[in-house]
């Protein structure tokens, strides 16, 4: 019988599992992928599986596979903060679900573990663009401003690594990055080790962000700005953290990032205004292949002809939901 760890390939997913396995070591089979590869639970076989840990992927998007596993008696630990839908009521499902826009999966796992690796949880919050929450946690933990900034940069870089249309776009496969990070019980250990993943990601991020920041908006309205990135590996890598950067620069404005796919559709990252964290998941869910949470969501394949509709829906939503 096999056990599986299934996790999102972004900072929140990786660091959630990192905390769990630093506290409870286990050599489980890993299932992950690029950040947008969220229907991961279907890769877990129903036959021959004993236990599954699922972290930072929407239960709603994985409900069919989850029900099959539960019906077969597989024990499941499920922690997440995305849209869940109806949660199955069975004894062998332990579901830690919280849709609060100021919560991430890393913080849920941190609470579950009674703060054993709290510095990593703070890093996860920074990586999930919960800067205000992470700043508060940093102050409560007695960190200096310099230490908080270090954790913020690390969280951003781990998150940056998760974006791409395939793992070939990434600097590290998310499973590989997770395994490397297991060598660092404290995130501060990465900064003193000049061979740590932090330093490679740091230099790559700086180059990719410089390219993105040179691009003018495709559309800018009263409530929403939209930027288009080209069909290049650097653009696919930077799309998510670039969206977070825009959100932090213009906290009263919704921001969207379009990245051209090889099939001439667009990948969309949408960030709700930081001062009005609602609606992103509802907007993206109106389009095929779209979904997410209130503060941040996306569409995997938006047709070119639907871009204007996407702009209209987003502008209209935030015009009617001004905080």
């Amino acid at each position: 019988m096999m056990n599986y760890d299934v996790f999102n390939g972004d900072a929140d997913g990786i660091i959630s599992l990192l905390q769990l396995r630093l506290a409870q070591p286990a050599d489980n089979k890993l299932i992950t992928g690029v950040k947008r590869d969220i229907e991961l639970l279907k890769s877990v076989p129903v036959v021959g599986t004993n236990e599954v840990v699922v972290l930072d992927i929407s239960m709603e998007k994985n409900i069919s596979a989850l029900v099959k596993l539960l019906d077969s008696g597989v024990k499941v630990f499920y922690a997440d903060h995305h849209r869940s839908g109806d949660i199955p009521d069975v004894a062998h499902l332990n579901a830690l679900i919280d849709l609060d826009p100021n919560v991430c999966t890393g913080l849920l796992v941190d609470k579950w573990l009674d703060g054993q690796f709290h510095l990593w949880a703070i890093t996860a919050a920074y990586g999930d663009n919960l800067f205000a929450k992470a700043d508060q946690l940093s102050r409560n933990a007695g960190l200096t401003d310099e230490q908080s900034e270090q954790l913020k940069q690390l969280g951003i870089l781990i998150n940056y690594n998760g974006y791409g249309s395939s793992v070939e776009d990434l600097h590290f496969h998310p499973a590989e990055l997770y395994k490397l990070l297991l060598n660092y019980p404290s995130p501060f250990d990465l900064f003193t080790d000049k061979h740590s993943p932090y330093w490679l990601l740091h230099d790559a991020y700086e180059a990719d962000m410089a390219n993105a920041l040179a691009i003018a908006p495709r559309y800018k309205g009263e409530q929403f700005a939209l930027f288009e990135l080209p069909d290049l590996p650097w653009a696919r890598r930077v799309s998510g953290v670039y969206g977070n950067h825009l959100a932090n620069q213009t906290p009263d404005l919704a921001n969207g990032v379009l990245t051209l796919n090889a099939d001439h559709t667009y990948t969309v990252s949408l960030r709700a205004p930081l001062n009005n964290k609602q609606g992103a998941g509802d907007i993206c869910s109106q389009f095929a292949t779209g979904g997410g949470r209130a503060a941040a969501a996306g569409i995997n394949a938006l047709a070119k002809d639907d871009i204007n509709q996407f702009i209209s829906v987003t502008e209209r939503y935030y015009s009617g939901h001004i905080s």
Side-chain angles (χ1 to χ4, degrees):
M1 300 290 283
M2 290 286 293
N3 296 331
Y4 293 84
D5 289 335
V6 183
F7 59 104
N8 198 314
D10 70 353
D12 197 21
I14 290 174
I15 296 174
S16 294
L17 182 60
L18 180 64
Q19 292 178 85
L20 197 62
R21 292 298 164 232
L22 285 171
Q24 303 167 2
D27 188 24
N28 293 350
K29 184 175 178 60
L30 304 178
I31 296 179
T32 187
V34 298
K35 178 179 174 64
R36 290 186 178 278
D37 189 2
I38 59 171
E39 295 182 19
L40 296 171
L41 209 50
K42 63 186 179 183
S43 298
V44 178
V46 173
V47 178
T49 297
N50 182 43
E51 297 184 7
V52 181
V53 168
V54 191
L55 301 169
D56 201 43
I57 57 173
S58 166
M59 184 180 288
E60 184 177 66
K61 294 291 187 180
N62 289 272
I63 190 63
S64 178
L66 176 61
V67 169
K68 290 177 183 178
L69 291 168
L70 294 173
D71 286 348
S72 298
V74 176
K75 294 175 62 178
V76 179
F77 175 88
Y78 207 122
D80 187 47
H81 65 128
H82 300 93
R83 291 164 63 107
S84 61
D86 294 330
I87 301 174
D89 184 14
V90 294
H92 50 289
L93 170 64
N94 185 356
L96 306 181
I97 306 295
D98 190 339
L99 307 187
D100 188 310
N102 293 306
V103 167
C104 65
T105 306
L107 295 179
L108 295 177
V109 172
D110 180 53
K111 185 176 181 180
W112 175 256
L113 296 175
D114 294 324
Q116 291 183 52
F117 296 93
H118 189 54
L119 295 179
W120 272 118
I122 295 172
T123 306
Y126 277 125
D128 217 40
N129 204 41
L130 300 180
F131 286 3
K133 179 68 172 180
D135 284 342
Q136 177 190 356
L137 293 172
S138 293
R139 288 191 295 271
N140 293 345
L143 300 183
T144 65
D145 289 346
E146 180 183 3
Q147 289 173 319
S148 297
E149 185 61 28
Q150 284 181 311
L151 296 188
K152 178 188 290 186
Q153 289 305 311
L154 178 58
I156 290 171
L157 292 178
I158 296 172
N159 205 49
Y160 154 74
N161 183 75
Y163 282 88
S165 61
S166 68
V167 293
E168 286 73 25
D169 286 335
L170 311 184
H171 297 292
F172 296 96
H173 190 293
E176 177 193 2
L177 183 55
Y178 156 74
K179 290 177 182 177
L180 290 171
L181 294 176
L182 272 177
N183 296 309
Y184 304 91
S186 168
F188 289 117
D189 295 338
L190 279 92
F191 304 107
T192 56
D193 179 3
K194 295 301 180 181
H195 300 289
S196 76
Y198 171 83
W199 295 103
L200 184 150
L201 291 173
H202 175 273
D203 293 344
Y205 170 84
E206 292 294 322
D208 287 354
M209 276 296 289
N211 289 332
L213 292 173
I215 293 176
R218 169 173 175 155
Y219 167 86
K220 189 167 186 179
E222 293 294 323
Q223 308 295 333
F224 176 54
L226 184 64
F227 297 78
E228 181 177 347
L229 299 179
D231 180 22
L232 293 171
W234 72 260
R236 294 190 290 271
R237 285 193 299 265
V238 84
S239 61
V241 290
Y242 177 53
N244 290 341
H245 171 82
L246 294 170
N248 285 291
Q249 292 298 306
T250 55
D252 292 319
L253 200 67
N255 284 277
V257 178
L258 298 173
T259 307
L260 185 64
N261 297 323
D263 64 358
H264 304 293
T265 64
Y266 288 85
T267 297
V268 181
S269 292
L270 178 63
R271 299 291 181 268
L274 284 186
N275 292 336
N276 186 19
K277 289 184 177 180
Q278 60 175 315
D282 293 334
I283 291 168
C284 290
S285 295
Q286 296 181 42
F287 298 85
T289 74
R293 51 193 173 88
I299 304 169
N300 287 339
L302 181 71
K304 184 177 181 179
D305 291 344
D306 290 336
I307 291 175
N308 287 339
Q309 182 187 358
F310 173 69
I311 293 171
S312 177
V313 168
T314 307
E315 276 282 2
R316 187 165 59 249
Y317 181 92
Y318 289 110
S319 294
H321 292 81
I322 298 175
S323 63

